[in-house]
Each structure stands twice: as structure tokens, then as C-alpha cells.
Amino acid sequence: MAVVTDQVTLTVDGQSVTVAKGTLILDAAKKLGIEIPIFCSHPKMEPVAVCRMCLVEVEKMPKLQPACAVYVMDGMVVRTRTEQVQRYQNGVLEFLLANHPLDCPICDKGGECPLQDQTYTYGPGASRYDFPKKHFDKAVPLSDKILLDRERCVLCWRCTRFSAEISGERELALIQRGKDTIIGTFNDQPARSEYQGNWTEICPVGALTSRQYRFISRPWDLDRTATICPGCSMGCNVHADARHNRLGRFQARENLAVDDGWLCDFGRYSFPSFQREGIERPRVRRDGRLEEVSYEEAMAAAAQSLRRAGPATAGWASPAATNEELFLFQRLLREVLATPHLDHGRGRGEAATALEPDDAALPIADLERCDHVLLLGGQAVIDAAPVLHLRLFKSERKGVRVHRVDDARAALEAVPAEAQAVGIVSSLGRKPEVDSLQGKLARKVKGSVRRLLVPDGPNGRGATDLGFGPGRGPGYASLDGKAGRARPDWEAAGVRALYLFEASPLHDFQASGEEREWIQRLETVVLQRPRPSPLDDLAHVILPGRAFVEKAGTVTNMEGRVQRIRPAIDAAVVRDDWKILQGVAQALGADWRYRDPDEVFADLSRAVPAYRADRIGERALWSERA
């Protein structure tokens, strides 16, 4: 009796390879390290085989076959380097270049252009055509973010397929027919997608370009840094590209467990907010005026004022601060100043609705493995973490039922009792509602029910894990009756001094008019921030710190994944935020002697075992809590 297997063995250019059934010839060749040129093919989109660049010989088939669209069979023999294949590749490129403009010296894609690379490798050395090229419109504005050069377009359909298959918005389409075919939007209306930057990244030529990056740099002039997007709590991985110490762009850096290789436009185009325009010195208010001083003088002045307030001090931290900074800041407040009043986040009292480890029990990638996903809050949740939409749309295409509801009762009714895996996704502000819904669903359905809550900022999750809130210490440790008050109650609690740590202009301290009046009456306001703030005129001490893209450390995304951030631009003249916090603590008498963020993280991981250093890049394991 024959053994049934889901593996097949084939030969590519004389080399044998075994792959799973349903594998494309293109991917089988990749497994052997054999490159087959492509333009239209993309690993996250359905094959269309429109560019014909990947044609190969398959034994017993009379015509050349597209490697990006033909699935392997047992015993198949494939040849990718025959004379016939090379002749066809040469011809495809010759046709693509027949009307392609000679823009390489000024094209933003130059140096990272697949058409350019493949012309050198597989194309003709010179053109045989001597006739006027067909011209199309250049620099066509698709939106306030993207320009389209129709002369450069090779009609690979990648952008239109992204719009249909990945984001589901269908904003781009093929217009006209034959030699007049172009890419465009319906009735030339401006594109409104929140994912347009992905069009430029997947475009294999310089047809779609970013307005922000247009004519800024060549790729070989860029210094590339692997880091994390500062936009939200999704934790998307990015390359921060800088030239001459100025940021030029954010590009996607694929992490299948988190972002699946995509970015939203809010995060992608946020980098100008972090570009330092000048160097400023610390300042101390004397006789009603802010005067420039050294860091040592400013930290000493801050310490002197905070010492007077002592336990009547409150501390607020941005949810964009690193784990190392948050750990030191909460130590400064709790251990050195003996105050329990800590809070974070832009919403007043967000830390009071604190996250728990179970709020990240549903990993982002597991959304695709659920039977039903409840998006409680609908578009408001997507607005807080836009790339979640792409993951949910992908899940729907795989057969997951995604219910976008705004009411817990409707959510409960939407899930049948026979469901095996249910996920709840919502914002932190709806945590009590989510807790109640999860309990009811657990009693109703046969399978598991897990939740994923979306906090504010790229490190809102880390802020709660590390105890930067009034109710619990690092690692959700009990405070033994010494809990503090949340931000809305600080005035009533008799707070006399306020230490504000703004780590990002995207996630700063937003004071209401009433709160601003209260801050104005305080004895001491210490403001640590990366750039000028509306609160500067209320501060008694201003300590300039580093921006998100200028610092090293770790942040924790919504699912509890601890990831490294790295400095993309040099800000050596500005003191590290963790060093400022250490300097203030030392001026208050603390014996802290950290030399770098890694030493801080070592102490942090001892206090919070779930944050083990050898698991950076993975989700925190809360079963290891002390």
C-alpha cells in the first residue's frame, strides 16, 4: 500500500528538494538558493503571473511556465537557466524598457530598484528600438502622501492587489486597456487609505513615491537602524533611515508575529516629529525667569525642590518612555521620594484602569487562529493601532468571523456556543466591559476565550508591567496598603510638586484648562522632555532629554512583547533620560551607579522575572512572576 505524504520531491536545475504540497516553483527554488527574477509576485498576495519575468522550463510541459503561479508536483523537473528561459527574460525586460523613461539618475528608487537590478542581471545590454517613447503623466498626486509617475509603472498590479487583498479598501485600480492602461483612483479622487506608504515599498520600480522622501537621498547614503515604530502600542518593527544625522524615512522591517511586514501611515510618516532642530540647555526658573544652566545645576535644583515636597510629589511618565527609564523613574518616586502618586498615559487616570497580564493573553498573530474575533469598539480600536486592521482583514480572508460591535450584549449574541477559539480586542478604557464579556463568553462557549487590550503609546504595556501607576508595583506586586492616587486625584491628595517626563511629542502630557491652573499653583514643576513643550512656561526646572529615535532601551507592545529600540541619530550633546533620572536620584542621596541601559535592564529583570534578558524579542512570561 502506498504511503500518503504531504511532501513532494522535485528537481530544480539538477538539485533535488523536498517541499510541502501547494508550494510554488518560485518558493521551492528559493529553498535551494536559486533566484528566479520577479516583478508581480509577492509572498503575501495571490499569484497573478502578469509580468512573465519568472518563466521557467518544466519537463513534459510544452510551453514555459510562470514559477510564481505553478505549484510543484512530485517528480517535477524544472530548469531556470536554459537558453530559452534567458531569451524570454531578455525579451520581457526589453519590452518593459521600450517606453520606460531614463530616470535612474533622479529616481527615488535608484539603488534599490528591482527593475534596475534585473536589467543588469538578465536584460539586454542596449535597446534595439529607435522610435519616440510613449509618454504618460508624471508626478500625479494620488494623495497628500503619494505621487505616481505613470511613465515608470510596469503594471505589476502589486499596489492594486495590496489595496484589494491586504487592506480591503480597493482604492487603486487598473484604468483603460492595452497600451493605454494606467493605475489610478476612482474618478481621480484623493486616496484616503491609512496604509498608502506600503504602496511605495512594494512597488518594484519608482512609479509610486513618497512626498516626504522625494529627492531626499540615495539608499547607499542612508544609515539604517533597526528599531520600533513610536506611533502606537502595536510595536511594529521599522528601519529608521538617516542621512547626515537627519531622519529621512521609516521603512517596514518584517516581524511576522507583530506587523506581518506592514506599517500604517501614522507611524511611517511620524518621523519628522522626532527630528531635533537645535540644541538647548537645561533651564531653571529664577526670579520668575528661566535661565540656562548646566545639567548638574538643573538636576541639583530639581532635587532640592523635590526634597522639600517629599511624599507630596507626583510623577507622570509618557507611555513612550523606555522600560529602563520607567523602572528608574518609579524607583526615584517610590524609593527615594517615598511618594506613591504615579501615573502614565495621555488619558486622565488611565493607569487607574490598569492592565493585567491576562489582557495580553491573545497574541496578535493568534487572531488568525480564532473562530470568532470580537472588535469591541470598532473603528476607535483600529484608530488606536491601525495595523490591527490589516491583521483582522487577513484573518477574515482565512475564514475567521470578525464582529465589529460597540455593545457588549451584541458581542455576546454574535458568538455561537460551539465556538472553539474566541478573541476579544478592545481599548484599555473598556477593560471593565471586556472583563465582564469574557466571563459570560467563557460560560457560553465550548472553547477558549482570550483578550487583547490596546493601551496608549508604544510602551503603555511596559509602564503597567513595571508598576508605573498608583495601585501596583513592578511585576504587579502588591503595595501592601501603600497605594497612591491617580492623576485626577492629585490636587485633592495635596500634591505640591510635579515631575513630568514627556518622552514623545506624540504621547505628551495634555493638560485641561482646569488642570493647567492647578499646575500653575504648584510649588515645583520639573519638566523632562525632548523638545519645547506648551508646559515650559509652567516649569521651574526644564531638563532636555532625548527623543525616541535617539535612545537605546526596550519597549513592550500591546501583547507583552519586549523589543529593543536603538538610536537612529546621534544626540551625544543631549543627556540620556535614564542618566538624568539617575542624576536627580544621586542628588537626592541615592547610590545609583548604572553605566548603561543594559545594567538598568538587569536590575529590572531581577525585580520583574517575566522580563528576562534572554527573552528580548519574545512575549513576557508571567508564569515566572516572583
Side-chain angles (χ1 to χ4, degrees):
M1 182 176 178
V3 177
V4 178
T5 176
D6 59 355
Q7 300 286 306
V8 298
T9 300
L10 68 154
T11 301
V12 183
D13 290 347
Q15 300 182 58
S16 179
V17 61
T18 300
V19 295
K21 285 183 179 178
T23 300
L24 294 167
I25 292 175
L26 179 69
D27 297 322
K30 280 182 185 176
K31 190 173 179 180
L32 290 169
I34 296 172
E35 179 186 359
I36 298 176
I38 55 171
F39 287 120
C40 67
S41 177
H42 192 281
K44 293 185 174 64
M45 301 178 199
E46 294 297 323
V48 288
V50 296
C51 75
R52 316 308 286 176
M53 191 64 199
C54 66
L55 295 178
V56 295
E57 282 187 12
V58 179
E59 200 170 88
K60 298 181 181 178
M61 290 189 179
K63 297 181 180 180
L64 296 182
Q65 300 296 312
C68 74
V70 175
Y71 296 99
V72 298
M73 296 178 64
D74 199 45
M76 180 181 276
V77 177
V78 180
R79 300 182 182 90
T80 72
R81 290 290 184 268
T82 66
E83 182 180 345
Q84 184 185 21
V85 168
Q86 291 176 352
R87 186 168 67 251
Y88 269 77
Q89 289 171 345
N90 193 291
V92 168
L93 283 165
E94 192 169 21
F95 276 121
L96 287 178
L97 295 171
N99 286 311
H100 197 82
L102 295 176
D103 283 351
C104 293
I106 60 165
C107 179
D108 287 328
K109 201 76 171 183
E112 54 185 8
C113 173
L115 177 61
Q116 196 176 53
D117 295 341
Q118 292 183 30
T119 298
Y120 277 113
T121 307
Y122 305 101
S127 174
R128 295 180 294 172
Y129 299 121
D130 186 18
F131 53 78
K133 291 177 180 282
K134 183 174 177 60
H135 293 289
F136 291 92
D137 293 333
K138 298 179 78 68
V140 177
L142 291 184
S143 69
D144 59 344
K145 304 168 187 171
I146 305 295
L147 292 174
L148 169 63
D149 189 319
R150 286 182 171 139
E151 282 192 341
R152 298 175 186 167
C153 180
V154 295
L155 298 176
C156 69
W157 302 7
R158 280 190 180 186
C159 58
T160 60
R161 287 150 61 211
F162 176 94
S163 189
E165 298 177 24
I166 306 300
S167 69
E169 297 159 316
R170 298 184 179 273
E171 282 204 293
L172 293 180
L174 295 164
I175 303 170
Q176 307 298 339
R177 299 179 66 184
K179 63 181 177 59
D180 296 317
T181 304
I182 56 174
I183 298 293
T185 58
F186 179 73
N187 278 351
D188 291 329
Q189 294 295 310
R192 295 184 295 177
S193 170
E194 293 300 322
Y195 311 97
Q196 296 175 41
N198 296 291
W199 304 346
T200 66
E201 279 207 61
I202 61 176
C203 180
V205 293
L208 290 161
T209 56
S210 165
R211 286 178 182 261
Q212 276 189 337
Y213 183 66
R214 193 169 170 83
F215 306 132
I216 293 297
S217 178
R218 289 298 196 188
W220 54 79
D221 289 327
L222 294 170
D223 296 316
R224 171 157 283 194
T225 304
T227 187
I228 303 300
C229 176
C232 73
S233 62
M234 190 78 182
C236 298
N237 290 209
V238 300
H239 289 295
D241 292 339
R243 182 187 183 194
H244 301 322
N245 213 36
R246 291 191 64 83
L247 286 172
R249 64 183 182 182
F250 283 162
Q251 293 278 82
R253 180 169 63 93
E254 184 181 72
N255 185 329
L256 296 177
V258 180
D259 48 62
D260 209 24
W262 310 117
L263 295 179
C264 72
D265 289 346
F266 175 74
R268 182 188 295 275
Y269 298 126
S270 67
F271 68 86
S273 300
F274 300 94
Q275 183 61 60
R276 188 172 296 280
E277 297 300 335
I279 304 301
E280 61 173 332
R281 297 183 63 192
R283 286 177 286 169
V284 173
R285 191 173 296 278
R286 292 170 179 162
D287 299 324
R289 297 178 59 185
L290 287 170
E291 298 180 2
E292 290 189 350
V293 296
S294 67
Y295 271 102
E296 283 67 27
E297 289 177 280
M299 291 186 294
Q304 184 179 12
S305 298
L306 293 171
R307 182 182 286 110
R308 286 197 298 268
T313 301
W316 179 91
S318 166
T322 68
N323 288 318
E324 292 79 4
E325 293 160 356
L326 290 165
F327 180 68
L328 290 186
F329 196 18
Q330 67 86 27
R331 283 192 64 196
L332 168 63
L333 294 165
R334 284 199 173 102
E335 298 176 16
V336 182
L337 292 170
T339 178
H341 307 309
L342 288 68
D343 210 338
H344 73 273
R346 287 183 293 177
R348 295 196 65 187
E350 180 167 305
T353 312
L355 290 162
E356 298 173 316
D358 285 347
D359 294 327
L362 175 62
I364 294 168
D366 275 9
L367 290 169
E368 301 173 26
R369 303 178 183 97
C370 292
D371 301 332
H372 294 262
V373 173
L374 297 166
L375 187 65
L376 185 60
Q379 188 58 40
V381 183
I382 298 301
D383 290 343
V387 174
L388 266 179
H389 163 71
L390 304 183
R391 182 72 73 166
L392 290 170
F393 187 71
K394 179 182 179 183
S395 301
E396 285 184 294
R397 294 184 71 235
K398 287 186 168 185
V400 178
R401 294 289 304 277
V402 177
H403 309 276
R404 294 166 175 82
V405 293
D406 197 51
D407 178 71
R409 180 180 297 178
L412 184 62
E413 293 173 353
V415 180
E418 61 270 16
Q420 294 299 313
V422 180
I424 306 173
V425 181
S426 192
S427 59
L428 174 58
R430 301 189 72 160
K431 177 173 167 54
E433 201 174 351
V434 171
D435 290 346
S436 174
L437 175 61
Q438 183 174 8
K440 292 175 182 177
L441 282 170
R443 293 189 291 272
K444 176 182 178 180
V445 304
K446 294 180 179 179
S448 64
V449 182
R450 294 177 292 170
R451 64 182 185 262
L452 177 64
L453 294 188
V454 180
D456 185 35
N459 203 25
R461 174 91 236 177
T464 306
D465 288 351
L466 299 177
F468 209 92
R472 284 174 287 192
Y476 302 92
S478 170
L479 294 176
D480 298 324
K482 298 179 182 178
R485 307 288 284 274
R487 177 177 164 185
D489 303 323
W490 283 346
E491 182 177 7
V495 167
R496 305 197 330 259
L498 185 60
Y499 195 145
L500 301 175
F501 179 17
E502 289 189 340
S504 166
L506 303 182
H507 304 93
D508 54 3
F509 187 92
Q510 297 179 357
S512 64
E514 182 181 344
E515 192 174 27
R516 189 178 174 90
E517 290 178 6
W518 168 69
I519 294 173
Q520 199 165 8
R521 297 194 298 269
L522 291 175
E523 297 174 9
T524 300
V525 178
V526 177
L527 178 59
Q528 184 173 331
R529 82 295 186 272
R531 60 187 299 172
S533 163
L535 297 173
D536 283 0
D537 59 344
L538 302 180
H540 299 93
V541 180
I542 296 177
L543 294 161
R546 294 192 179 184
F548 192 91
V549 296
E550 297 170 338
K551 59 179 68 176
T554 60
V555 293
T556 308
N557 78 342
M558 65 172 74
E559 62 173 355
R561 189 176 301 274
V562 183
Q563 303 184 100
R564 286 197 183 278
I565 65 170
R566 299 173 178 86
I569 52 179
D570 180 21
V573 293
V574 180
R575 192 159 299 195
D576 266 309
D577 286 288
W578 70 267
K579 287 184 178 179
I580 295 173
L581 294 167
Q582 176 168 269
V584 173
Q586 288 173 336
L588 285 164
D591 186 25
W592 294 2
R593 300 182 184 276
Y594 298 109
R595 291 173 294 182
D596 55 47
D598 288 341
E599 289 191 358
V600 180
F601 192 88
D603 257 9
L604 182 161
S605 60
R606 281 189 284 271
V608 185
Y611 274 52
R612 280 177 16 201
D614 63 340
R615 288 189 54 81
I616 290 179
E618 304 295 328
R619 296 172 64 232
L621 295 177
W622 288 103
S623 59
E624 299 182 8
R625 276 188 287 172

Short mmCIF file of all heavy atoms in Angstrom, two decimals, residues 140-142 150 175 182-191:
data_model
loop_
_atom_site.label_atom_id
_atom_site.label_comp_id
_atom_site.label_asym_id
_atom_site.label_seq_id
_atom_site.Cartn_x
_atom_site.Cartn_y
_atom_site.Cartn_z
N VAL A 140 1.90 62.50 -10.66
CA VAL A 140 0.45 62.62 -10.46
C VAL A 140 0.15 62.48 -8.97
O VAL A 140 0.50 61.46 -8.36
CB VAL A 140 -0.31 61.53 -11.25
CG1 VAL A 140 -1.81 61.62 -10.98
CG2 VAL A 140 0.00 61.63 -12.73
N PRO A 141 -0.47 63.47 -8.34
CA PRO A 141 -0.75 63.35 -6.90
C PRO A 141 -1.91 62.39 -6.63
O PRO A 141 -3.05 62.66 -7.02
CB PRO A 141 -1.11 64.79 -6.49
CG PRO A 141 -1.61 65.43 -7.75
CD PRO A 141 -0.88 64.78 -8.89
N LEU A 142 -1.61 61.26 -5.99
CA LEU A 142 -2.67 60.35 -5.58
C LEU A 142 -3.28 60.78 -4.25
O LEU A 142 -4.42 60.45 -3.94
CB LEU A 142 -2.13 58.92 -5.44
CG LEU A 142 -1.72 58.21 -6.73
CD1 LEU A 142 -1.31 56.77 -6.42
CD2 LEU A 142 -2.87 58.21 -7.74
N ARG A 150 3.42 57.71 -13.93
CA ARG A 150 2.82 56.67 -14.77
C ARG A 150 3.77 56.18 -15.86
O ARG A 150 3.59 55.09 -16.39
CB ARG A 150 1.51 57.18 -15.37
CG ARG A 150 0.39 57.25 -14.34
CD ARG A 150 -0.92 57.71 -14.91
NE ARG A 150 -2.00 57.53 -13.94
CZ ARG A 150 -2.96 58.42 -13.72
NH1 ARG A 150 -2.99 59.55 -14.42
NH2 ARG A 150 -3.90 58.18 -12.83
N ILE A 175 -6.92 51.22 -15.00
CA ILE A 175 -7.83 52.05 -15.80
C ILE A 175 -7.39 51.98 -17.27
O ILE A 175 -6.20 51.90 -17.56
CB ILE A 175 -7.81 53.51 -15.30
CG1 ILE A 175 -8.17 53.55 -13.81
CG2 ILE A 175 -8.75 54.39 -16.10
CD1 ILE A 175 -7.96 54.91 -13.17
N ILE A 182 -3.37 52.35 -17.21
CA ILE A 182 -2.70 53.12 -16.16
C ILE A 182 -3.27 52.72 -14.80
O ILE A 182 -4.31 52.08 -14.71
CB ILE A 182 -2.87 54.65 -16.36
CG1 ILE A 182 -4.37 55.01 -16.42
CG2 ILE A 182 -2.13 55.13 -17.60
CD1 ILE A 182 -4.64 56.51 -16.47
N ILE A 183 -2.56 53.12 -13.75
CA ILE A 183 -3.03 52.95 -12.38
C ILE A 183 -3.65 54.26 -11.92
O ILE A 183 -3.13 55.35 -12.21
CB ILE A 183 -1.87 52.58 -11.44
CG1 ILE A 183 -1.24 51.24 -11.85
CG2 ILE A 183 -2.32 52.52 -9.98
CD1 ILE A 183 -2.14 50.05 -11.67
N GLY A 184 -4.75 54.19 -11.19
CA GLY A 184 -5.36 55.42 -10.68
C GLY A 184 -6.40 55.14 -9.63
O GLY A 184 -6.68 53.98 -9.28
N THR A 185 -6.99 56.20 -9.12
CA THR A 185 -8.08 56.10 -8.15
C THR A 185 -9.40 56.39 -8.86
O THR A 185 -9.43 56.94 -9.96
CB THR A 185 -7.90 57.11 -7.00
OG1 THR A 185 -7.83 58.43 -7.55
CG2 THR A 185 -6.63 56.82 -6.22
N PHE A 186 -10.50 56.03 -8.23
CA PHE A 186 -11.81 56.23 -8.82
C PHE A 186 -12.07 57.72 -9.04
O PHE A 186 -12.00 58.52 -8.11
CB PHE A 186 -12.89 55.64 -7.91
CG PHE A 186 -14.29 55.82 -8.42
CD1 PHE A 186 -14.74 55.07 -9.50
CD2 PHE A 186 -15.14 56.75 -7.85
CE1 PHE A 186 -16.03 55.25 -9.99
CE2 PHE A 186 -16.43 56.93 -8.32
CZ PHE A 186 -16.87 56.17 -9.40
N ASN A 187 -12.33 58.08 -10.29
CA ASN A 187 -12.61 59.48 -10.66
C ASN A 187 -11.51 60.43 -10.21
O ASN A 187 -11.76 61.62 -9.95
CB ASN A 187 -13.95 59.95 -10.08
CG ASN A 187 -15.12 59.52 -10.93
OD1 ASN A 187 -14.94 59.02 -12.04
ND2 ASN A 187 -16.33 59.69 -10.42
N ASP A 188 -10.28 59.91 -10.09
CA ASP A 188 -9.13 60.71 -9.66
C ASP A 188 -9.32 61.37 -8.30
O ASP A 188 -8.72 62.41 -7.99
CB ASP A 188 -8.81 61.80 -10.71
CG ASP A 188 -8.28 61.21 -12.00
OD1 ASP A 188 -7.62 60.15 -11.93
OD2 ASP A 188 -8.53 61.79 -13.07
N GLN A 189 -10.14 60.74 -7.46
CA GLN A 189 -10.33 61.25 -6.10
C GLN A 189 -9.08 60.98 -5.27
O GLN A 189 -8.40 59.97 -5.46
CB GLN A 189 -11.53 60.58 -5.44
CG GLN A 189 -12.86 60.91 -6.08
CD GLN A 189 -13.22 62.37 -5.94
OE1 GLN A 189 -13.17 62.93 -4.84
NE2 GLN A 189 -13.55 63.01 -7.04
N PRO A 190 -8.72 61.87 -4.33
CA PRO A 190 -7.54 61.62 -3.49
C PRO A 190 -7.70 60.33 -2.68
O PRO A 190 -8.77 60.07 -2.13
CB PRO A 190 -7.49 62.85 -2.57
CG PRO A 190 -8.29 63.89 -3.27
CD PRO A 190 -9.35 63.17 -4.04
N ALA A 191 -6.65 59.55 -2.63
CA ALA A 191 -6.67 58.32 -1.83
C ALA A 191 -6.78 58.68 -0.35
O ALA A 191 -6.16 59.64 0.12
CB ALA A 191 -5.41 57.50 -2.08
#
